[in-house]
Amino acid sequence: MVRMLLCSLVLVLILGGCRKDESTDEYPWPVWILRVTVRDGDNPNQEMPNCAHVFWSVQGSDDTHDWGCHDSNGFVKVWDHISGNTQVFFRVECEGFIPSIEYSVEYDYARVDSTDPQEEVIENRTVTLYHQ
């Protein structure tokens, strides 16, 4: 009985050790990145950390995503896998402010460096919001 239990344990350890490391799939390289800096219209030199949300979707998809600021950095970083030319539509909202119009950004897949396994195609945008 003990021998059978030990054999089962060894088999589980062997099979568990053969599983693919899923941590490498955390970022679906290559990726497009949209970095949206949000400013207060009453004070354009001031970034608005921790309240702005970017609502975005990719052309041809009905899925809309809501991403907010992280770590008090004053910008929202949006990203996803890129496998061809990609157009991203986005708007910015923040409580107490008038939502932005819808913007779009086009990513040219030709900018992807196929020799870099962790390639990023980055666009930066600044959006100014005004108080309601």
Side-chain angles (χ1 to χ4, degrees), residues 16-33:
C18 293
R19 271 193 273 166
K20 180 183 173 192
D21 180 11
E22 296 176 12
S23 65
T24 58
D25 292 338
E26 184 177 349
Y27 299 104
W29 307 105
V31 296
W32 58 263
I33 293 176

Side-chain angles (χ1 to χ4, degrees), residues 69-127:
C69 291
H70 302 286
D71 304 324
S72 302
N73 55 19
F75 66 88
V76 180
K77 181 178 177 183
V78 174
W79 60 270
D80 203 354
H81 178 69
I82 185 171
S83 59
N85 291 347
T86 302
Q87 186 171 19
V88 177
F89 298 95
F90 72 96
R91 73 181 189 283
V92 180
E93 294 184 9
C94 187
E95 189 174 325
F97 291 81
I98 300 169
S100 76
I101 62 171
E102 184 173 82
Y103 298 94
S104 70
V105 177
E106 293 189 31
Y107 291 87
D108 183 0
Y109 188 73
R111 291 177 48 198
V112 171
D113 180 357
S114 60
T115 63
D116 184 351
Q118 296 183 346
E119 176 64 16
E120 302 170 339
V121 181
I122 301 171
E123 293 288 339
N124 294 297
R125 295 293 186 270
T126 299
V127 174

